[in-house]
Amino acid sequence: QVQLVESGGGLVQAGGSLTLSCVVSRSIFVINAMGWFRQAPGKEREFVSTIRWSDGSTFYADSVKGRFTISRDNAKNTVYLQMNSLKPGDTANYYCAAGRVLSGRRDAYNYWGQGTQVTVSS
């Protein structure tokens, strides 16, 4: 089965930057899209961004547009989430997900990583 492992989370000061990585264990041909979601305590898991492996098409949640950038390295089977101008509101556990359709819906993804914590201090 497809396995995903996120890394790169940590503590960062407001206004700072952080880059998350997600390594996929199986061929990109098994899946078509990769997504990033986040969940803060007491909140539902929300969509952040998604990217299509084949052509790099992307989609972002309005809350992160202009600040976050999703990208992928096909050779390394890795997806990245570059986060700039971080705000305390970005604090959450960030999850990497894999699916067959480029979508912002949680149910469009079949596989999920364990999550990596991002904490932004004021």
Side-chain angles (χ1 to χ4, degrees), residues 61-81:
D62 290 337
S63 61
V64 305
K65 285 181 180 178
R67 298 190 299 121
F68 291 12
T69 301
I70 189 170
S71 62
R72 90 287 196 218
D73 186 328
N74 298 58
K76 295 182 177 180
N77 291 149
T78 302
V79 177
Y80 305 93
L81 183 66

Side-chain angles (χ1 to χ4, degrees), residues 7-10 18-22 36 79-83 94 116 118:
S7 63
L18 206 60
T19 299
L20 306 182
S21 299
C22 175
W36 284 100
V79 177
Y80 305 93
L81 183 66
Q82 301 164 217
M83 306 183 291
Y94 283 70
T116 184
V118 172

Side-chain angles (χ1 to χ4, degrees), residues 59-122:
F59 181 68
Y60 298 88
D62 290 337
S63 61
V64 305
K65 285 181 180 178
R67 298 190 299 121
F68 291 12
T69 301
I70 189 170
S71 62
R72 90 287 196 218
D73 186 328
N74 298 58
K76 295 182 177 180
N77 291 149
T78 302
V79 177
Y80 305 93
L81 183 66
Q82 301 164 217
M83 306 183 291
N84 300 317
S85 301
L86 285 163
K87 306 173 181 179
D90 294 318
T91 295
N93 198 191
Y94 283 70
Y95 297 88
C96 179
R100 294 184 177 277
V101 181
L102 191 73
S103 175
R105 295 180 61 85
R106 286 170 286 178
D107 59 9
Y109 299 87
N110 306 110
Y111 304 95
W112 296 81
Q114 80 290 344
T116 184
Q117 180 67 36
V118 172
T119 301
V120 184
S121 62
S122 59

Side-chain angles (χ1 to χ4, degrees), residues 9-38:
L11 176 65
V12 65
Q13 194 169 33
S17 300
L18 206 60
T19 299
L20 306 182
S21 299
C22 175
V23 180
V24 184
S25 65
R26 292 189 64 182
S27 172
I28 59 172
F29 296 107
V30 176
I31 55 175
N32 186 243
M34 299 294 296
W36 284 100
F37 290 77
R38 65 187 184 185

